[in-house]
Amino acid sequence: MGIHQYIKSLSSLETLVRAPGIFKYQKHSVAEHSFKVAQIAQFLGDVEENSGQTINWQSLYEKALNHDYNERFIGDIKTPVKYATPKLRAMLADVEDSLSESFVNTEIPSEFRTAYRRRLSEGKDSTLEGKILSVADKIDLLYESFGEIQKGNPELTYEEIYKESLTTIVKFKSMASVQYFLNEVLPDLLREKFSDQEKLEEITQHIVG
Amino acid sequence: MGIHQYIKSLSSLETLVRAPGIFKYQKHSVAEHSFKVAQIAQFLGDVEENSGQTINWQSLYEKALNHDYNERFIGDIKTPVKYATPKLRAMLADVEDSLSESFVNTEIPSEFRTAYRRRLSEGKDSTLEGKILSVADKIDLLYESFGEIQKGNPELTYEEIYKESLTTIVKFKSMASVQYFLNEVLPDLLREKFSDQEKLEEITQHIVG
Amino acid sequence: MGIHQYIKSLSSLETLVRAPGIFKYQKHSVAEHSFKVAQIAQFLGDVEENSGQTINWQSLYEKALNHDYNERFIGDIKTPVKYATPKLRAMLADVEDSLSESFVNTEIPSEFRTAYRRRLSEGKDSTLEGKILSVADKIDLLYESFGEIQKGNPELTYEEIYKESLTTIVKFKSMASVQYFLNEVLPDLLREKFSDQEKLEEITQHIVG
Amino acid sequence: MGIHQYIKSLSSLETLVRAPGIFKYQKHSVAEHSFKVAQIAQFLGDVEENSGQTINWQSLYEKALNHDYNERFIGDIKTPVKYATPKLRAMLADVEDSLSESFVNTEIPSEFRTAYRRRLSEGKDSTLEGKILSVADKIDLLYESFGEIQKGNPELTYEEIYKESLTTIVKFKSMASVQYFLNEVLPDLLREKFSDQEKLEEITQHIVG
Amino acid sequence: MGIHQYIKSLSSLETLVRAPGIFKYQKHSVAEHSFKVAQIAQFLGDVEENSGQTINWQSLYEKALNHDYNERFIGDIKTPVKYATPKLRAMLADVEDSLSESFVNTEIPSEFRTAYRRRLSEGKDSTLEGKILSVADKIDLLYESFGEIQKGNPELTYEEIYKESLTTIVKFKSMASVQYFLNEVLPDLLREKFSDQEKLEEITQHIVG
Amino acid sequence: MGIHQYIKSLSSLETLVRAPGIFKYQKHSVAEHSFKVAQIAQFLGDVEENSGQTINWQSLYEKALNHDYNERFIGDIKTPVKYATPKLRAMLADVEDSLSESFVNTEIPSEFRTAYRRRLSEGKDSTLEGKILSVADKIDLLYESFGEIQKGNPELTYEEIYKESLTTIVKFKSMASVQYFLNEVLPDLLREKFSDQEKLEEITQHIVG
């Protein structure tokens, strides 16, 4: 038991590769994804603040940084589970929660348990910070899938991930930060050099509307 | 739908790394593990046959070759789940079965479904071939964990895997092939050059008795 | 001497990369290739059996699983030897046989030598199982080369490998399993998304006729 | 110009490997390091808060997350520069600052420049948060070097890095979080299994006093 | 101190990856680059000699083989420094020289110092051999960038590197070896199979004139 | 046909890994080995020259740089062929020569063929430069095997390679450069930190005498 175990465990997130079982040109570890999501959330927070919202920055950074720590326990298994029903997904979430709760009780000293229980619980709630996390997580996933499409990866999964990410982002389009992303960032991304440009623009048009 | 999808899917098993989230010096893909388990099962079958047993070789090879195909759906998640209860493990097995059944119905043409349903179902049953598979699977796991211990991997997980594999193998010690393994193979493995030799010999002594 | 050495040696086949000296996006070890060939042979066996043939499954699995074990001795050197004459290829085969024979005599205990001598000898004979192995070996090679072409690999070698594999497969086109492959599997493969589609279809048309 | 370029640039930090030019068993990207430093800083912040200090969490997370973004411009060159004088190090810092300033003016839209100028400037100032960053950065470096020593890396550089990190941490020992680290975390780390245990304990004793 | 340290240090050049921080399909170490530059310089020397020039072969090989040894000290940092001014580049060169001088004095026994001081100093002088080195260094860089463009790498940096390399090569076009390269080698390179062929031909036309 | 093919082929030597089929912590490509052998030969040449010998530097560099180009054709197959008889080794050398000759005639323009035929033929002749190459090649092999032993690699092959390399080096001990290596360099190498120190010193003592 102890914080040494926690610090050591961060290395597991460096070892876990995202989208296991699917060929990729560029690997991303869960640790790298967490870093990028925190960076993206930080920017989305800037936009919200500039548009007049009040951001609880502690909560925003905390949510973003810790949102995938639990993958340490069962790995990144959501992506390939394409045949899964909602019921199966719920079962997997339960497994994850049980493992996480067990970890906090076993490894984290009692004076820090409240903080880690909060950090390792689901951060994508209905607060502004929870919504920014939902969006930032999908923006990084969109960039990761785009990176593969742009490099010529023939796995159709990446197109599906692109669609699924963008569809989720668009659901939050009442947010100033999402509007900024759709109007200022996404067009630049689509102007990048790659061969499926037209197809991806069409898909994007269809989703963004 | 079609066999092309099945052949392509074999590549997923090349991309899936065993024991994800744990540092290792040498990576083993699920495809490589399946190859080695089939090779080891082939040898254990030789020993059983030499000792007078009748081997259903078709069944033995089939079980060994296909026993981890399902990992394609949710990955190799059993190893790191050290906080899991038996109930949680059972839930994960259910998820795997559902995904596998769904895959056969969606991708495999009807005239081959019976064969693939058999191949993708649990092969570790009470037949001689099922028991050989159980042993062969653990022998490869024991070699993989030994390989890391021998290379100086400080992760204690590998010692736990060594113990757990050997404990399972010993449960089958009434089998001629397991006796051969314990008497002729394991001592050679422990005579290999490595620094934890004494400790591992002690552990082994304790388990083998 | 002993089976421990044999089991350990399986790891060499995990370390040997196919097509050494040629740039590739996705690496395949000899162990992974052996796994895939055994899987493909299993399927081709299904088709033959459904078409009324009798399959010696023990022989089929054994041939497929062990057909490249000998690469452990001199590596996968056939692919890059593009300037080689038939005489040179024959010389290399002799070297391989001598090393393999020497290995069986040195490492395999006497009671298993007959089995391993059979397993490590050339499996591509004129039996139905030998012919299925010839085809399965080339189908996996065709998929490996197609995988690189599809990912945009500019090395012309992969196009040559695609042609050479398909040409060999077509030589066996009187077999029901080859007909199934040409009629049901290959068209799906060519419908995959990639940029050289037209050219590869033309090549394929030209070879399949 | 634009935020798209900034988000894309995060990928550079995934591609940059720490301690280039020195053999290592486990690679760490600058993105992964940044994630771990933010996690460690978060924990040190917990300890400080529990001990009665007031933490500006926004500042702490921001400093930790962004502290190595500038490595994108000239890479991680400090470690190998073991022959460098203070003057040379100062020159390199100037180069980094110029590149960073140039980047903000070229790529970041004007309404976000103040925020990014702050984020990309030196975070290790004399505030409590700046001191926590200094410590967290060295704790991760200490863990990275320890990881190599524990795995048996014969490069003496890692021992030097261990010493240098610990020496810096000890300079901050008036902080509650550093005391927690020295009393509760470091002893657990030294109780890990590895062969140089005695030597490292001696070194540690010598530095911690 | 001693030559053992020098021989060991060659391994650093195997560990240093060229163009750090930029995604690439194929990695090249500084050691590999040095090998290729020496090979290319050897060929350019052949052409010069055939055209009537006298080559100091010792000087040519020595310059080519050792020209990047100094990267060991600060890594390959020039490529990504795209925002750098000439002044910044000069500062970095000074740092490199100081580290190199310090290394020779510390590690190389006195009887070999003159030789190593010459080898580790700037080889791209105005001698014929110095000019061949300048060209050979850029030809390998051009091949490395072309390799990425041909494999479909969407990073625009590679196009910039292609342009910059070719521009430098063209500056030496009064040399017989450069004329041979432009007339006999470059057209073959552009006849390779890749999708950006037209664009690259245009760029090349524009630069070669 | 043409020099473009030759320059491109240098990349094959970057892709070929030395000692294929044997687990290693650090990979070395044939290109990297060639670089290091040329560097070591350069140093041995210095010693010989200082001791009064006349070095043909052009020949020395040329031999060292090109001595393994032929591995491109059949790969690095000598190391694992431990069961090979001298006759088999001779056969493999014949294959290599034929492929090399065929390559020069097919790819190298006629005006350069004499030079490349010399470069691609066996360089380890009885000249001083040929002998330096023999020694330099083994010194790098000794360093590569030592690197694995020092990192804790349990493969006994590396101890065999160490012995075999040193035995060959000692055969040339009448040379001033070999004496320098044995007296000034090897002792420093053995003073490095590693666990098998005593054993390796004993082996070394036994061979050096």
Side-chain angles (χ1 to χ4, degrees), chain F residues 37-174:
Chain F
V37 169
Q39 282 277 353
I40 294 167
Q42 174 181 264
F43 174 72
L44 300 177
D46 285 348
V47 179
E48 293 294 334
E49 209 170 61
N50 284 357
S51 81
Q53 299 285 329
T54 303
I55 299 289
N56 179 338
W57 285 98
Q58 174 177 9
S59 172
L60 181 58
Y61 280 119
E62 187 182 273
K63 280 171 181 290
L65 196 65
N66 300 288
H67 83 286
D68 267 349
Y69 182 86
N70 282 350
E71 297 217 346
R72 186 197 152 197
F73 303 120
I74 51 170
D76 178 10
I77 62 175
K78 279 156 228 146
T79 311
V81 180
K82 63 175 175 180
Y83 298 98
T85 63
K87 197 188 148 203
L88 294 177
R89 282 171 179 274
M91 280 166 66
L92 286 169
D94 281 357
V95 173
E96 203 172 280
D97 286 352
S98 303
L99 294 169
S100 164
E101 179 61 22
S102 167
F103 168 75
V104 170
N105 292 331
T106 314
E107 302 288 3
I108 303 290
S110 55
E111 67 266 41
F112 306 112
R113 269 181 214 152
T114 309
Y116 280 91
R117 212 164 270 140
R118 185 182 69 238
R119 288 166 188 163
L120 304 195
S121 68
E122 180 54 60
K124 293 174 180 170
D125 53 28
S126 61
T127 62
L128 178 55
E129 293 76 21
K131 288 192 286 182
I132 291 177
L133 169 58
S134 295
V135 173
D137 194 22
K138 292 303 181 187
I139 288 179
D140 189 51
L141 190 56
L142 185 143
Y143 266 83
E144 286 185 1
S145 61
F146 175 76
E148 292 300 311
I149 292 167
Q150 193 188 24
K151 288 177 186 75
N153 195 319
E155 290 280 352
L156 292 173
T157 313
Y158 293 106
E159 208 175 291
E160 291 169 28
I161 295 175
Y162 180 89
K163 280 184 205 170
E164 192 264 322
S165 316
L166 189 54
T167 304
T168 303
I169 294 167
V170 165
K171 283 185 188 146
F172 293 90
K173 74 177 162 189
S174 63

Side-chain angles (χ1 to χ4, degrees), chain C residues 24-93:
Chain C
K24 58 195 73 75
Y25 293 111
Q26 184 169 14
K27 288 187 183 169
H28 304 282
S29 70
V30 174
E32 288 168 331
H33 167 67
S34 301
F35 165 73
K36 290 181 292 168
V37 169
Q39 282 277 352
I40 294 166
Q42 175 182 263
F43 174 72
L44 300 177
D46 285 348
V47 179
E48 292 295 334
E49 207 169 62
N50 283 358
S51 82
Q53 299 286 330
T54 303
I55 299 291
N56 179 340
W57 284 99
Q58 175 178 7
S59 172
L60 182 58
Y61 280 119
E62 188 182 272
K63 279 171 181 291
L65 197 64
N66 300 289
H67 83 286
D68 267 350
Y69 182 85
N70 282 349
E71 296 215 348
R72 189 200 148 192
F73 304 119
I74 51 170
D76 178 11
I77 62 175
K78 282 156 226 148
T79 311
V81 180
K82 65 176 176 180
Y83 299 98
T85 63
K87 197 187 147 204
L88 294 177
R89 283 171 179 273
M91 280 166 66
L92 286 170

